[in-house]
Amino acid sequence: MNRTKILTLTVVSAVQLAVVPFRAEAQGASLSTPQTEQKIDALLAKMTIEEKVGQLNQLSSGSLTGPSSVVRDGDALIRTGMVGSLFNSVTWKETNAYQRESIEGSRLHIPVLFGLDVIHGFRTTFPIPLGLSSSWDTDLVEQTARVAAQEASSQGVRWTFSPMVDIARDPRWGRIAEGAGEDPYLGSAFARAYVRGYQGRRLDDPSSIVACAKHFVGYGAAEGGRDYNTTEISERTLRDVYLPPFRAAVGEGAGTIMSAFNSINGVPSSANAFTLTEVLRNEWKFQGFVDSDWTAVHEITLHGIAENDEAAAQKSFLAGVDMDMQSAAYLPHLPDLVKSGRVPVGRLDDAVRRVLRIKFALGLFERPYVPEVVDANPTEVPASRELARRAAEESFVLLENRKVAGFPLLPIAPVAGQRVALIGPLSDSAGDMLGPWSGEGRASDVVTLRMALAPRLERLHVGLTVTQGMNAAGSETSGIAAAVEAARQSDLVILALGESGHSSGEASARSRIDLPGHQEELLEAVVATGKPTVLILFSGRPLAVEWASRNVPAILMAWFPGLQGGPALVRTLFGEAEPSGRLTVSVPRSVGQVPMYYNRLNTGRPRVDPIGLGSTKSDPYYVSGYIDELNTPLYPFGYGLGYTTFEISGVKVSAASISASAVNAGRAQLTVNANVRNSGTRVGTETAQLYIRLRGTSVARPVRELKGFKRVHLEPGESSQLAFNLDREELSFWNLDMKNVVEQGTLYVWVASDSSVGDPLRVDITE
Ligand code: NOJ
């Protein structure tokens, strides 16, 4: 057994709850029971202050996911009960071995909780979360999370630092790849889906893992898109935009929350009593525990609100951070802080109770070890592979599909004797297909586009030339000539361009959001050959590809599609799979438009009045906009083409007026009906999106807000009647008095295929 005996530590100077069984909204899963609380009481009574603090100490046991130095003798720390959680162990042998130190070696035999960044799969790597969100398919996402939970738990990993539910409105921020995009309503739906998938029906099912909604909160609002940066967020925006997905995750029963790196209005998130205690615990009644992000407790000294680690430990802990990831600030300092009365013992017991509650909920006390895993490759499980392929297919967003020789270029149908040129640095780059945070995913499990395309074309007796053109960084141009020659000799070009897998993710902000390096030159040179060209974009963020949008007939956004990316792309190119993804982030025309998001507030001088509401008069000069750029995105939120067409019609609202007080009291709701018809000649999936706008309210509301969506799969000519409900949840907002209520005013509601179109119906909201 090759277990590392090394734990890593960062270089940093070295009210008991009422017993309220917590019920997850949807599943009725419970984080605790009165019996569990009694067991916790009994355990707490036996623990020394040091042992209690030990439960709040979390260390990395293996590979690094942050700045670090190495401290030896981790086992001794475990045996003295000084480690509550370890993360980054990925094999059953290692987790069992560490567990044995705690169960057999420590005085109280409390099991260790093993965590890991299982972000879009464990070994079976699914598309990056931004790609998965483009499916608008919450069932699909739940299934991927379930597979991830099964694989991770089999190795003893019972805790994932996922889902990342940060709303992201700035594509410069590399971590936009890890979330579900820019919209709080959609983000909340995905937050719930991930929690359901990871935590399963019961947390004590050995194949369930506890979810961690992160990063609490506002992390995605980093100024300038620079990771870890400061944020300024009003309380209303915090509550309307950034908090809802966390609330959804907590409502679904998420057992843990990770506190973020950023400060909000000058207060670091990892020492923020308002968000961590007032909102999370007091308002939402969260009963799990809060883990800091990697060294975030120590980092409040760098933010400047603590002079040293002792003060940092005190501030973070009192604000509501229960567990200290990797700062090693709680372990040395909390015992004295408690003994000297600077931290109440009740707060210590509360934090330990929360951690033990999750350990009991997972069944770790009964089953601390996992059975030996026979060395099998889980990516070979047909159902998992099939799911990975379907997830990739559903994540693709078709941005353009213009006619070439009278027909849309996609799907393709090359015939015997023809030749295809596959060009670009992402054509055959297995590692890049995994994208950032690929966990245990291995390049050797990936089927690339080239690997999937070559045998398909061979069967069809179609020739294939593959040439990289340049590397993903686009740092040299010497391969362009060969790429152009390959294009000239072909009947069809497939260009695989975009970012490397690690150009997005943590600490990977970009100041430009176009194709990296000289890739644009490669693109333009190949397109200049006049050969029909399909551009496949691989990326962890929206890319500003304005030239391509005007000059390339077919563009498919493939994100980082995971290990079945190649087969999924080939099936999509050949029309066996229908691209059905819709953007969950606006794609800007240029970086200068950032931040760009569809649900913005209007101004008093809007350039284009949204969806024709209110005044349409606008001065040509004194308007809010740029003198050198449009305000509109290149591709709007919710947008995506398919191989067929749809019509949305017959939108009806159940009432022309509704009483705000009745909706607030839960006595009234609106129903919106719409008809969706497949008006094309191929089977396809439409995502009908319900948007609202509120006017006449005490504070300005966004020009449009998503408040419902439904995916419908329709045969050619087939129709489906859809019904959406609008009740308190959808119609309320944080008003002038900072109350979450439905207000009197006017409601406009419409159902559309993306956020840029619509035909609003008016409903009066009376008192
Ligand atoms: C830092 C990242 O911000 C966080 O998302 C991750 O879970 C931790 N490192 C642990 O790896």
Side-chain angles (χ1 to χ4, degrees), residues 65 87 117 161 175 214-215 219 258 261 293-294 325 437 506:
T65 48
F87 66 116
D117 290 283
F161 307 133
R175 302 198 80 170
K214 70 187 189 185
H215 306 82
Y219 184 40
M258 186 183 290
F261 290 125
D293 202 341
W294 180 288
M325 181 195 282
W437 288 114
E506 190 177 351

Side-chain angles (χ1 to χ4, degrees), residues 221-375:
E223 276 182 8
R226 288 201 301 282
D227 209 359
Y228 319 121
N229 207 1
T230 295
T231 71
E232 288 288 326
I233 310 172
S234 72
E235 185 181 341
R236 182 168 297 104
T237 302
L238 197 63
R239 289 184 179 277
D240 272 341
V241 177
Y242 293 96
L243 285 170
F246 287 95
R247 183 161 170 261
V250 169
E252 200 69 25
T256 71
I257 296 281
M258 186 183 290
S259 67
F261 290 125
N262 58 291
S263 66
I264 311 169
N265 310 333
V267 183
S269 292
S270 291
N272 197 314
F274 171 67
T275 54
L276 292 168
T277 296
E278 201 172 317
V279 173
L280 182 61
R281 288 163 160 85
N282 299 349
E283 291 181 22
W284 300 353
K285 313 286 179 225
F286 174 64
Q287 302 232 330
F289 71 87
V290 175
D291 191 18
S292 79
D293 202 341
W294 180 288
T295 63
V297 172
H298 164 67
E299 288 174 27
I300 74 167
T301 65
L302 299 153
H303 281 286
I305 66 159
E307 294 281 17
N308 50 42
D309 274 4
E310 184 189 46
Q314 184 186 18
K315 283 203 169 177
S316 286
F317 192 60
L318 288 178
V321 175
D322 300 302
M323 186 180 274
D324 167 9
M325 181 195 282
Q326 200 66 8
S327 289
Y330 283 7
L331 197 65
H333 299 300
L334 268 190
D336 282 348
L337 286 166
V338 173
K339 285 175 195 161
S340 63
R342 285 172 291 163
V343 164
V345 72
R347 168 70 188 113
L348 179 63
D349 285 354
D350 165 48
V352 178
R353 175 179 297 278
R354 288 168 181 275
V355 172
L356 294 177
R357 189 178 278 149
I358 296 300
K359 292 186 176 183
F360 275 110
L362 286 164
L364 283 178
F365 284 86
E366 292 86 49
R367 284 182 309 277
Y369 304 109
V370 284
E372 177 176 341
V373 182
V374 189
D375 215 4

